[in-house]
Amino acid sequence: MNYETVIGLEVHLQLSTESKIFSASSAEFGGDPNSHIDPVTFGLPGALPVLNRKVVESAIMMGLALNCEIRRSNHFARKHYFYPDLPKGYQISQFEEPICERGQLLVRLEEGPERVVGITRIHMEEDAGKSMHDGRAKCSFVDLNRAGVPLLEIVSEPDIRSSAEAAAYLKTIRRIARYLGISDGNMEEGSLRCDANVSLRPVGEMKFGVRTEIKNINSFKFVERAISYEVARQLSILKSGGEIVQETRLFDSGNGTTHSMRSKEESADYRYFPDPDLPPILVEERWVTAVRARMPRLPEDLRAMFIEELGLSEYDASVLTAEREDAEYFLACCQESKNAKASCNWITSELFGLLRKENLETAHSPVSAVDLGKLIALIDEGAISGKMAKEVFEESFRTGASPHDIIQSKGLKQISGDGEIREMIVSVLDSSPVQVADFLSGKDKVRGYFVGQVMKLSKGSANPAMVNSILDEELDKKKR
Amino acid sequence: MSEVLDLTVAQLVQKLITREISAVEITESYLAQIESQMHLGCYLSVWHENALKAAKEADSAGAPSPEFPLRGIPLAIKDIFTTSYGTTTCGSQFLHEYESPFTATCVQRLLDAGGIVLGKTNLDEFAMGSSNENSSFFPVKNPWDVSRVPGGSSGGSAAAVAARTCPVALGTDTGGSIRQPAAFCGITGFKPTYGRVSRYGLVAFASSLDQAGPLGLTAEDCALVGRVISGVDPKDSTSVAREVTRWEQPLPESCKGLRIGIPKEYFLSGIDPEISLAVESAARVLEVLGAERVEISLPHTEYAIATYYVIAPAEASSNLARFDGVRYAKRAAGVESLEELYLRSRSEGFGSEVKRRILMGTYVLSSGYYDAYYLRAQKVRRLIQQDFLSAFENSCDLILCPTTPTVAFRHGENSASPLQMYLNDVFTIPTSLAGLPAVSLPCGMHSEGLPIGFQLIGRPWDEHRLLSVGQEFQQETTWHSGVPIGILSSSSSGESSKARVDA
């Protein structure tokens, strides 16, 4: 019997707003413990929540990007449980009326087919604080800086069919969040968190199998490993006639396995009810339209545009749209150079190579997109050779001086004057009678020697295309 | 200086303006009266030093003015409002030494208007109760008869005013907690429309029902204090941006042509017949003033108490979840595990009525019961609100009814049966569920020597008319001027201070 893997992912995205979802305290990451707090964050008696508008806009943006329906009226609910890093004894979240529902996301894999993954819902909620347990001191410490930081919870339909697809889905969500500028989607820092629901069922079976929930996954790589392990584990149980236990399992990144959370009770009763301190949020059409107008272009749209309008390959288009800053760099470069293909090649090989070596982000590139674009334009004009341009680029990257200044100061402009080049060629031919004789007797390879000598004479700045064509003319003359 | 003690806020303001008296003299008189009435248990803390300091500053600053309408006027604040000075205990052992870092918005508005806080008044723990017997510190005694309760949960505030220890006090009303004690203590109590007054700093009991409001000697005083504290607050998402007019300036001839609805369901059996008579007399006074009576029906009245006792405890169980012994307030000593910390802190910190309501509230929100109880109760609530709104749309401008079914009962009389205690609020709960403004006004005296009050309920946001009718009624009657025997004689109680004093 063959089984198919069924995966659904719950992603928590920490939003990068300035203040928290329900109070004016800073939502910034880090800071001294308990320094980003106020009566609302602390849950003091008499404190009340006030909704941060930016959070709703981020949710609307994400919903539009994931093709969701935006609920015109939605509300917050209280989710109750006791834990020291949950100051009010309840988390303000959304239960019955989430702000976005019924969306879909196209997920591309590096190899293999595309998958359309349904988005069940997106809702807004507040994060809890952090607990640190000190085994030696036998006590725990609570830091409420993170309490009240806004989160978007994105729940997918169980449409994902492999661990590779799961990782690709996450990367896509991350890319979109970063394009929208609403989160930096960093799994290692916790601004993007993921729980995976995994089950198996016989191929062709419509009913879902028993699923387990996997937590404590901290990177894209670990997502794949955790799911792969869990699928294998479930498969071996089913194949030997056993039954899967519905439970929550923790991923152990040390040995790549999942194990059952021992102290888990049956599903907690959170006693959800609509939060009476917060009126329903009415999202009018006007607001959605305004948000849509302000949204940056999405990676899929740019990718399609790069392929269809700018003639890039699918591979290159994917590479350049992986990060918004790269796509923007590319577009700015194209504007100057008017040469999409060349811009693409320069960026993906030269620029990315140097950036990687120096461990820099594209946004901090010492060579600006405009300058690179101008450099490429110079090559196309024939004002500088490709080889020379590469050296100029490397120097500009190293020193921060603009390519234009470097070319000026070193007099590196390519020699493209017919007269000048002809003079050099004639001079080389005149001083190489042996080689000329060889060439005329049929040794075509000697031609390369002449080219080399001309380049040496011109210190590399002769326009190669012109050298070639004028050399051919002069050699022809010799033949007659 | 006891001539001061029977004056209304309006009268005190006049005397301050004409410089007949100073703020310091007024404050000193009230502080002395507080001292002599200690045995009533009205105050949990007295701000002796701070009040005198504020009084001196008020005298230097000048007379009351439109910008500072309460300058030099002393007030008492129910200890459910957070204040950055002194303690905020909510009548609970859990918070018995709690010092809040911020002051409630409505209290701040009183201070900004020039008001002087004399101290924090006693209350049923976390505002849950109808007799002020649930205070975890000590009970409050009714100044009219110390063997009787003052009502609750704003029992301390009501008794404080009736005992002339302050001219006006701030209380809160969730199911009747301003109006019922006002009626039991023979004073005026006013609950604005839900959303008028900010709840920021009002320690939450039932978030969708709680409202702050004044208790005073007259509707005029309640109107003034009421409009000073009202108005939208960006820190409270449930406060509403609506214009607040000068409610203390009554609309002329407010009773002429006024249609007063008498709900037939409110006059069924169970009311003390003397109360029915007194309320009937009040209706007649308004008729003489030009109003006309209309019988109306509020058919869902019989479900109100059950509805309230599902919704209010549900919200309370949620609001009180933050009292866990972790950050502030009382933490049980010598605990060995997190679970023990929660269980013991909460068991030790909360009184039995609070625990009872937390248990009820948790139950009605729990999985499997939510639809049958909480959800259903919210639906019935809407029907109850619809009853009122239909009556206002089709038949009447105001509604008149009793405030309570009995006069003040004796201490311990209803403690054996929580259900019996809950029935006290039968006339006040429906208004709270509907979020409507209401005022309780004295309208008679029972043969047992205890005051009787009646209620006027208005349309949403119609406080100006409501309080104008109240003021007109008080121009025609003298029930509100009654003073409990012995209150204004100058002898001290001789009892040692139970309240915390700051000097």
Side-chain angles (χ1 to χ4, degrees):
Chain A
M1 169 138 62
N2 276 329
Y3 286 91
E4 101 178 315
T5 307
V6 175
I7 301 164
L9 295 178
E10 278 171 33
V11 170
H12 282 93
L13 203 60
Q14 212 173 63
L15 297 181
S16 51
T17 52
E18 269 182 53
S19 41
K20 296 186 174 181
I21 183 175
F22 296 118
S23 83
S25 292
S26 165
E28 214 187 311
F29 180 77
D32 284 342
N34 295 310
S35 59
H36 299 160
I37 60 173
D38 61 14
V40 178
T41 302
F42 216 63
L44 289 182
L48 292 172
V50 179
L51 181 58
N52 179 341
R53 194 189 168 86
K54 269 234 128 94
V55 174
V56 185
E57 298 199 338
S58 300
I60 295 172
M61 266 199 213
M62 198 67 191
L64 290 173
L66 297 184
N67 303 296
C68 295
E69 291 169 26
I70 315 289
R71 235 182 201 279
R72 291 304 180 250
S73 171
N74 59 99
H75 68 261
F76 286 102
R78 295 186 182 180
K79 177 180 182 183
H80 301 84
Y81 63 93
F82 286 97
Y83 203 65
D85 61 24
L86 192 67
K88 295 185 295 297
Y90 60 84
Q91 175 196 28
I92 303 179
S93 176
Q94 292 191 294
F95 183 55
E96 284 177 335
E97 293 187 348
I99 184 163
C100 307
E101 293 173 303
R102 288 184 286 275
Q104 47 182 256
L105 179 63
L106 177 67
V107 176
R108 252 177 241 290
L109 288 124
E110 272 156 58
E111 322 157 346
E114 301 171 346
R115 168 87 57 200
V116 172
V117 178
I119 306 292
T120 314
R121 53 186 276 153
I122 303 176
H123 71 250
M124 302 173 280
E125 61 184 27
E126 55 177 354
D127 208 345
K130 270 202 199 136
S131 297
M132 281 152 284
H133 308 287
D134 187 335
R136 284 168 306 142
K138 284 206 192 299
C139 68
S140 301
F141 300 91
V142 178
D143 175 11
L144 293 179
N145 282 358
R146 203 184 64 179
V149 169
L151 295 176
L152 285 187
E153 181 172 328
I154 304 168
V155 181
S156 83
E157 292 286 327
D159 291 343
I160 298 170
R161 294 283 172 267
S162 75
S163 58
E165 275 178 35
Y169 171 87
L170 282 179
K171 288 181 184 158
T172 312
I173 297 274
R174 175 183 185 272
R175 189 175 311 135
I176 293 174
R178 289 170 66 91
Y179 262 75
L180 294 175
I182 62 175
S183 168
D184 50 46
N186 189 325
M187 279 194 88
E188 285 83 355
E189 273 180 14
S191 54
L192 190 151
R193 297 168 223 161
C194 171
D195 297 331
N197 290 303
V198 181
S199 66
L200 298 178
R201 66 180 173 195
V203 175
E205 172 70 59
M206 290 309 291
K207 217 170 88 153
F208 289 117
V210 175
R211 67 159 194 246
T212 59
E213 185 187 17
I214 308 174
K215 284 178 162 330
N216 197 38
I217 303 169
N218 296 332
S219 78
F220 295 118
K221 265 221 169 53
F222 289 154
V223 167
E224 281 199 63
R225 288 188 69 193
I227 293 175
S228 297
Y229 174 85
E230 182 60 17
V231 167
R233 186 191 77 87
Q234 288 193 15
L235 199 59
S236 82
I237 292 175
L238 289 172
K239 287 229 153 118
S240 64
E243 280 179 12
I244 309 294
V245 175
Q246 177 167 334
E247 59 182 350
T248 301
R249 299 176 69 85
L250 289 180
F251 176 66
D252 183 336
S253 54
N255 53 34
T257 63
T258 65
H259 58 268
S260 183
M261 279 177 76
R262 240 168 285 123
S263 61
K264 212 54 198 159
E265 356 71 32
E266 344 79 57
S267 53
D269 180 2
Y270 295 114
R271 285 172 282 120
Y272 286 102
F273 77 101
D275 193 326
D277 288 332
L278 293 161
I281 308 138
L282 299 173
V283 182
E284 287 164 22
E285 192 61 56
R286 260 180 314 159
W287 195 4
V288 176
T289 308
V291 170
R292 190 183 272 119
R294 263 185 276 130
M295 271 170 69
R297 294 174 75 172
L298 293 172
E300 262 311 300
D301 294 338
L302 283 178
R303 185 180 177 280
M305 191 261 261
F306 289 179
I307 294 169
E308 286 153 32
E309 289 174 39
L310 299 177
L312 296 190
S313 71
E314 284 192 13
Y315 176 77
D316 283 336
S318 292
V319 169
L320 285 175
T321 54
E323 294 283 343
R324 179 175 164 190
E325 51 179 12
D326 294 338
E328 288 179 344
Y329 191 99
F330 168 71
L331 281 170
C333 184
C334 281
Q335 271 238 29
E336 278 302 317
S337 70
K338 312 274 189 268
N339 186 338
K341 283 237 164 70
S343 301
C344 171
N345 292 337
W346 270 88
I347 292 170
T348 54
S349 44
E350 302 303 325
L351 179 69
F352 282 176
L354 289 177
L355 287 173
R356 210 175 301 128
K357 223 162 64 176
E358 301 302 319
N359 207 14
L360 286 171
E361 308 266 322
T362 307
H364 300 134
S365 162
V367 182
S368 74
V370 168
D371 278 343
L372 177 58
K374 287 202 170 113
L375 190 61
I376 295 170
L378 285 177
I379 300 172
D380 287 346
E381 282 164 34
I384 185 172
S385 71
K387 183 159 167 287
M388 197 77 331
K390 197 157 169 260
E391 284 174 30
V392 169
F393 179 76
E394 279 165 19
E395 182 166 335
S396 173
F397 192 95
R398 219 180 32 249
T399 65
S402 81
H404 178 266
D405 291 345
I406 296 172
I407 291 171
Q408 285 295 92
S409 68
K410 294 202 169 162
L412 293 174
K413 271 212 144 102
Q414 199 167 263
I415 299 169
S416 301
D418 187 286
E420 248 184 295
I421 292 181
R422 205 172 290 274
E423 231 183 271
M424 284 190 272
I425 289 173
V426 168
S427 146
V428 163
L429 291 177
D430 284 347
S431 52
S432 324
V434 178
Q435 290 82 355
V436 173
D438 281 342
F439 178 79
L440 290 174
S441 67
K443 291 191 184 154
D444 291 326
K445 286 202 176 137
V446 183
R447 196 178 168 287
Y449 172 78
F450 297 133
V451 176
Q453 290 296 74
V454 173
M455 292 315 270
K456 212 163 121 193
L457 190 60
S458 71
K459 296 199 204 354
S461 57
N463 183 326
M466 292 204 64
V467 167
N468 277 311
S469 65
I470 295 172
L471 179 64
D472 286 340
E473 284 175 26
E474 291 301 317
L475 287 172
D476 266 347
K477 281 189 194 159
K478 297 270 182 207
K479 276 186 192 162
R480 288 193 221 106
Chain B
M1 277 216 254
S2 56
E3 321 85 59
V4 160
L5 302 179
D6 200 26
L7 295 176
T8 65
V9 170
Q11 288 165 336
L12 288 167
V13 163
Q14 269 313 109
K15 288 191 193 283
L16 282 165
I17 289 174
T18 59
R19 296 188 181 276
E20 211 177 304
I21 196 168
S22 71
V24 169
E25 285 170 304
I26 296 174
T27 297
E28 281 174 343
S29 302
Y30 282 112
L31 287 172
Q33 182 69 351
I34 289 175
E35 206 44 52
S36 80
Q37 299 302 321
M38 269 311 181
H39 60 285
L40 296 176
C42 305
Y43 290 82
L44 290 174
S45 55
V46 181
W47 297 1
H48 207 276
E49 186 183 314
N50 199 59
L52 284 171
K53 177 161 161 272
K56 287 196 191 100
E57 282 165 13
D59 278 332
S60 321
S65 64
E67 207 193 330
F68 300 100
L70 295 173
R71 188 183 266 154
I73 304 295
L75 324 126
I77 307 290
K78 183 176 181 180
D79 208 12
I80 195 93
F81 293 101
T82 58
T83 49
S84 58
Y85 184 87
T87 51
T88 301
T89 69
C90 301
S92 178
Q93 287 304 312
F94 226 127
L95 295 176
H96 79 287
E97 275 168 346
Y98 178 65
E99 291 173 17
S100 172
F102 67 97
T103 296
T105 298
C106 55
V107 174
Q108 191 57 50
R109 287 186 178 167
L110 290 172
L111 293 171
D112 291 343
I116 294 167
V117 176
L118 294 172
K120 311 291 283 293
T121 56
N122 204 347
L123 65 157
D124 281 304
E125 190 179 358
F126 286 112
M128 298 183 203
S130 310
S131 64
N132 222 129
E133 291 169 295
N134 294 330
S135 165
S136 75
F137 299 105
F138 38 85
V140 178
K141 298 179 178 150
N142 192 319
W144 293 86
D145 177 344
V146 299
S147 72
R148 305 217 180 212
V149 304
S153 59
S154 310
S157 287
V161 172
R164 301 314 194 264
T165 65
C166 61
V168 72
L170 201 60
T172 61
D173 192 308
T174 306
S177 293
I178 285 176
R179 295 163 283 156
Q180 183 248 31
F184 276 11
C185 290
I187 59 170
T188 305
F190 163 52
K191 179 193 95 67
T193 313
Y194 181 86
R196 270 288 189 200
V197 184
S198 168
R199 291 186 301 111
Y200 187 76
L202 197 179
V203 180
F205 154 23
S207 315
S208 72
L209 295 159
D210 293 341
Q211 264 299 269
L215 296 92
L217 296 172
T218 61
E220 184 188 8
D221 285 356
C222 287
L224 172 63
V225 173
R227 65 102 171 146
V228 165
I229 61 176
S230 291
V232 70
D233 180 10
K235 296 199 209 118
D236 174 2
S237 307
T238 60
S239 72
V240 174
R242 276 190 94 101
E243 194 201 352
V244 183
T245 48
R246 296 274 175 98
W247 299 339
E248 73 280 10
Q249 289 167 4
L251 302 165
E253 299 190 318
S254 55
C255 292
K256 260 237 166 72
L258 187 77
R259 295 166 306 158
I260 299 192
I262 313 283
K264 64 177 196 228
E265 291 83 1
Y266 283 41
F267 290 88
L268 303 172
S269 65
I271 312 176
D272 184 319
E274 288 188 49
I275 292 183
S276 304
L277 270 171
V279 174
E280 168 64 36
S281 310
R284 262 196 247 123
V285 169
L286 294 177
E287 280 179 312
V288 166
L289 290 170
E292 68 176 83
R293 228 194 267 223
V294 176
E295 194 191 64
I296 61 170
S297 173
L298 301 172
H300 295 94
T301 301
E302 63 180 295
Y303 304 113
I305 292 188
T307 302
Y308 176 84
Y309 279 103
V310 166
I311 295 172
E315 294 180 6
S317 73
S318 176
N319 289 324
L320 266 53
R322 69 193 65 202
F323 299 109
D324 51 14
V326 173
R327 284 149 294 140
Y328 43 81
K330 223 176 161 118
R331 179 189 289 194
V335 292
E336 304 262 306
S337 72
L338 182 62
E339 182 150 322
E340 206 190 339
L341 184 141
Y342 288 143
L343 288 175
R344 283 194 36 217
S345 301
R346 287 167 70 82
S347 299
E348 288 166 24
F350 289 137
S352 46
E353 183 60 31
V354 172
K355 284 181 188 153
R356 191 173 290 129
R357 297 196 191 192
I358 291 176
L359 287 170
M360 279 165 61
T362 307
Y363 181 84
V364 303
L365 288 176
S366 60
S367 163
Y369 296 103
Y370 175 86
D371 285 353
Y373 290 103
Y374 187 79
L375 187 58
R376 192 181 213 101
Q378 288 284 43
K379 291 179 179 176
V380 176
R381 179 182 187 169
R382 184 173 278 278
L383 293 176
I384 292 170
Q385 187 192 43
Q386 254 326 108
D387 282 355
F388 282 100
L389 297 179
S390 300
F392 285 131
E393 188 169 322
N394 302 318
S395 324
C396 63
D397 306 304
L398 279 185
I399 292 172
L400 183 152
C401 63
T403 307
T404 56
T406 67
V407 291
F409 45 88
R410 291 183 199 287
H411 280 108
E413 196 173 313
N414 285 333
S415 346
S417 164
L419 280 179
Q420 194 57 42
M421 187 70 86
Y422 298 161
L423 290 171
N424 268 289
D425 298 324
V426 63
F427 298 126
T428 49
I429 275 176
T431 332
S432 301
L433 290 171
L436 301 169
V439 65
S440 176
L441 306 151
C443 67
M445 278 300 286
H446 194 276
S447 58
E448 288 185 335
L450 294 155
I452 298 170
F454 80 107
Q455 234 189 136
L456 287 172
I457 303 164
R459 283 194 180 93
W461 319 112
D462 205 15
E463 288 89 347
H464 205 162
R465 186 198 322 235
L466 179 71
L467 293 164
S468 299
V469 172
Q471 288 181 74
E472 221 182 304
F473 178 82
Q474 287 182 342
Q475 270 152 24
E476 291 302 312
T477 60
T478 56
W479 299 112
H480 57 283
S481 313
V483 185
I485 297 167
I487 286 296
L488 290 181
S489 56
S490 49
S491 53
S492 160
S493 69
E495 270 199 36
S496 55
S497 165
K498 287 196 262 198
R500 174 179 288 133
V501 182
D502 67 349

